Amino acid sequence: MKSYRIALSYDGTDFRGWQRQPDGRTVQGVVEAAIHKITQKRVTVHGAGRTDAGVHALAQVAGFRGAIRMADADLFRALNAVLPEDVRILSLERAAPDFHARKSARSKVYRYRIVHAPQISPFDRRYALHHPWPLNLRAMREAARLVARTGDFTGFSSNRDRTPIRTVRRSELRKTGGEIVYTIEAEGFLRYMVRAIVGTLIEVGRGKCPPERVEEIFARRDRSLAGPTAPARGLCLVRVDY
Amino acid sequence: MKSYRIALSYDGTDFRGWQRQPDGRTVQGVVEAAIHKITQKRVTVHGAGRTDAGVHALAQVAGFRGAIRMADADLFRALNAVLPEDVRILSLERAAPDFHARKSARSKVYRYRIVHAPQISPFDRRYALHHPWPLNLRAMREAARLVARTGDFTGFSSNRDRTPIRTVRRSELRKTGGEIVYTIEAEGFLRYMVRAIVGTLIEVGRGKCPPERVEEIFARRDRSLAGPTAPARGLCLVRVDY
């Protein structure tokens, strides 16, 4: 049995997310199918982050184990030859036997892109949210700052998780030219958490609620106080650290 | 009758090119349909460049005439509201009655992107050609230089044009990081001309023929001496000058 670690990049637009589904094209599904096609082995590929439908990855990390005889370099090349063009394996290496892409991860970085200009380029439409209306960036930055904490993130998740405590190490908003980029880093995230946070930041930016709303959401753990879940297209898993 | 000039950007991937077709989704077709939907007027939209299927535009220019009563700013907004997301109108202004997007153009700039690295990012796959094999850039640059001239470009076109003389003002190749960008500027181009030139540059880069092959193609006007037509995905109409 060999243990592998791969980094991969994908355009999430045409995937129903990371996690394998009986129907539906998923990233885990196509990667497992590619490994099977090349090695005749059925393996389970564990991703560091289970990205939702439409969410992209610049460098997702995943692991799998299998009695594969092929040399690593050959497996790497064969995978990229077999995989569809919207997923690329960036690297393949041998991992420790106890390596688990999600459980071993120290932190994950997600980025959300908002095009804040009258027009969005057709080349950005799959990768960013378009918000042509006024936004109070100062209020949004303040709200973003309040997200960086160890706390109960139930109010920012659509699921009730039995362990809703998470530590967000970094939560910041930057505007460069006509683009707003929100970056968030944590060891783990609840379901739809980043998109609920972004939806809330936009509500704050529109003046629908004050930045202190974030405190209230933490205190009351009430999803209805937070903004709507922002569209998947703007979200990208940027990096996983071990 | 009012005369209009618009600049537009589009992701050519899902279009069968600029020019209207009875079936097939084309840029001209969707823009004319949008104008009709908004104004109830049937107009013909003339593009500066008739881009092929799969070719993109950062800023194509087009013109149309019609007895349209709507204010320009309203027409502009309505067009972007009605058009599909892969076409965006960048600007709309009134033009001189004799304005003709193609005939009045002084020059057009096209760019061709080649990702020259072991891997192409899934985010680039619609917008660049992937060439992971060695290329002699020096030879390619020399060949590119030989393209800049007033001459008979029949050897670089798939059609026999009755007026095959064109003036290429600029033809240059640059490499930045893992990307090769070829830029060509001319008043007009023959059918598939840029892609045949790029295909030839790649053949030169691969050492299949010397840079002087370009001279031979001009002298013999023989398409079979040139390289294959490079894929549409890497090509983009960058700018039109008047």
Side-chain angles (χ1 to χ4, degrees):
Chain A
M1 224 42 167
K2 295 176 188 169
S3 187
Y4 296 90
R5 170 178 164 168
I6 55 175
L8 61 168
S9 180
Y10 47 85
D11 177 339
T13 312
D14 301 325
F15 287 104
R16 291 214 203 152
W18 168 266
Q19 202 155 18
R20 198 195 315 118
Q21 290 181 9
D23 307 312
R25 182 174 185 262
T26 68
V27 183
Q28 187 186 23
V30 303
V31 174
E32 289 176 354
I35 294 171
H36 180 251
K37 189 168 180 183
I38 294 161
T39 66
Q40 313 302 322
K41 309 281 180 201
R42 292 264 173 230
V43 303
T44 297
V45 178
H46 294 282
R50 288 177 223 138
T51 52
D52 303 318
V55 174
H56 316 288
L58 217 50
Q60 161 85 287
V61 175
F64 60 92
R65 289 158 56 78
I68 294 169
R69 290 217 202 127
M70 209 175 218
D72 295 357
D74 294 338
L75 179 58
F76 173 73
R77 266 192 300 269
L79 274 171
N80 278 319
V82 163
L83 281 168
E85 279 191 317
D86 48 357
V87 197
R88 292 291 92 191
I89 308 289
L90 305 175
S91 64
L92 178 146
E93 55 194 294
R94 224 50 95 64
D98 62 344
F99 173 72
H100 189 288
R102 185 169 52 80
K103 291 176 194 159
S104 313
R106 206 164 42 76
S107 88
K108 283 177 275 192
V109 178
Y110 279 91
R111 193 160 65 197
Y112 198 99
R113 288 178 60 200
I114 301 168
V115 170
H116 188 221
Q119 304 260 7
I120 184 168
S121 153
F123 304 104
D124 279 334
R125 75 191 197 285
R126 294 156 68 102
Y127 312 118
L129 171 68
H130 185 208
H131 190 89
W133 305 284
L135 285 172
N136 180 341
L137 284 175
R138 209 174 142 167
M140 290 174 80
R141 269 194 219 101
E142 206 181 315
R145 228 180 356 252
L146 294 173
V147 169
R149 66 172 73 191
T150 297
D152 183 332
F153 281 82
T154 299
F156 291 107
S157 176
S158 46
N159 288 21
R160 285 269 157 187
D161 199 294
R162 268 183 301 168
T163 53
I165 310 296
R166 291 292 183 275
T167 298
V168 170
R169 290 205 193 101
R170 189 174 153 207
S171 167
E172 59 188 32
L173 199 87
R174 286 202 186 160
K175 176 148 186 180
T176 336
E179 193 167 317
I180 297 168
V181 178
Y182 174 66
T183 307
I184 185 168
E185 178 171 352
E187 191 184 315
F189 296 86
L190 302 179
R191 192 98 209 263
Y192 296 128
M193 177 173 140
V194 184
R195 290 160 62 192
I197 291 169
V198 172
T200 306
L201 296 182
I202 292 172
E203 294 281 86
V204 169
R206 293 169 71 198
K208 297 247 176 180
C209 57
E212 299 73 40
R213 172 64 63 89
V214 172
E215 291 293 0
E216 211 185 329
I217 298 165
F218 279 115
R220 297 188 29 203
R221 308 167 67 237
D222 181 355
R223 176 68 184 81
S224 70
L225 290 173
T229 304
R233 56 166 69 179
L235 187 58
C236 183
L237 172 54
V238 171
R239 206 175 71 225
V240 187
D241 294 328
Y242 289 90
Chain B
M1 221 47 165
K2 294 176 188 167
S3 187
Y4 295 90
R5 169 176 164 169
I6 55 175
L8 60 169
S9 181
Y10 47 85
D11 177 337
T13 312
D14 301 323
F15 286 104
R16 291 214 203 152
W18 169 266
Q19 203 154 17
R20 199 195 315 119
Q21 290 180 10
D23 308 312
R25 182 176 186 261
T26 69
V27 183
Q28 186 186 23
V30 302
V31 174
E32 289 175 356
I35 295 170
H36 179 252
K37 188 168 180 184
I38 295 160
T39 66
Q40 312 303 321
K41 308 282 181 199
R42 292 262 174 231
V43 304
T44 297
V45 178
H46 295 281
R50 287 177 224 138
T51 53
D52 302 321
V55 174
H56 316 288
L58 216 51
Q60 161 84 288
V61 174
F64 60 93
R65 288 156 57 77
I68 294 169
R69 289 214 206 130
M70 210 174 217
D72 295 359
D74 294 338
L75 178 58
F76 173 74
R77 267 192 300 269
L79 274 171
N80 278 318
V82 162
L83 280 168
E85 281 192 315
D86 50 355
V87 196
R88 292 291 92 190
I89 308 289
L90 306 175
S91 64
L92 177 145
E93 55 194 294
R94 224 52 94 63
D98 61 344
F99 172 73
H100 188 288
R102 186 168 51 80
K103 291 176 193 157
S104 312
R106 206 164 42 75
S107 89
K108 282 176 275 192
V109 178
Y110 279 91
R111 193 162 64 198
Y112 197 98
R113 288 178 59 200
I114 301 168
V115 169
H116 188 221
Q119 304 262 7
I120 183 169
S121 153
F123 304 104
D124 279 334
R125 74 191 197 285
R126 294 156 67 100
Y127 312 118
L129 171 69
H130 185 208
H131 189 90
W133 305 284
L135 285 172
N136 180 340
L137 285 175
R138 206 173 145 167
M140 289 173 81
R141 269 193 218 101
E142 204 180 317
R145 229 180 354 252
L146 294 174
V147 170
R149 66 170 74 191
T150 296
D152 184 332
F153 281 82
T154 299
F156 291 107
S157 176
S158 46
N159 288 21
R160 285 269 158 188
D161 199 293
R162 267 181 302 167
T163 54
I165 309 295
R166 291 292 183 277
T167 297
V168 169
R169 291 204 192 103
R170 190 174 152 207
S171 166
E172 60 189 32
L173 200 87
R174 286 204 186 157
K175 176 149 186 179
T176 336
E179 192 168 318
I180 297 168
V181 177
Y182 173 65
T183 307
I184 185 168
E185 178 172 352
E187 191 184 316
F189 296 87
L190 302 178
R191 191 96 210 264
Y192 296 128
M193 178 171 139
V194 183
R195 289 160 62 190
I197 291 169
V198 171
T200 306
L201 296 181
I202 292 172
E203 294 282 87
V204 169
R206 294 170 68 197
K208 296 247 176 180
C209 56
E212 299 74 39
R213 172 62 63 87
V214 172
E215 291 292 1
E216 210 184 330
I217 298 165
F218 279 114
R220 297 188 30 204
R221 308 166 67 236
D222 180 355
R223 178 67 184 83
S224 71
L225 290 173
T229 304
R233 56 167 69 181
L235 187 58
C236 183
L237 172 54
V238 171
R239 203 175 74 225
V240 186
D241 294 327
Y242 289 90

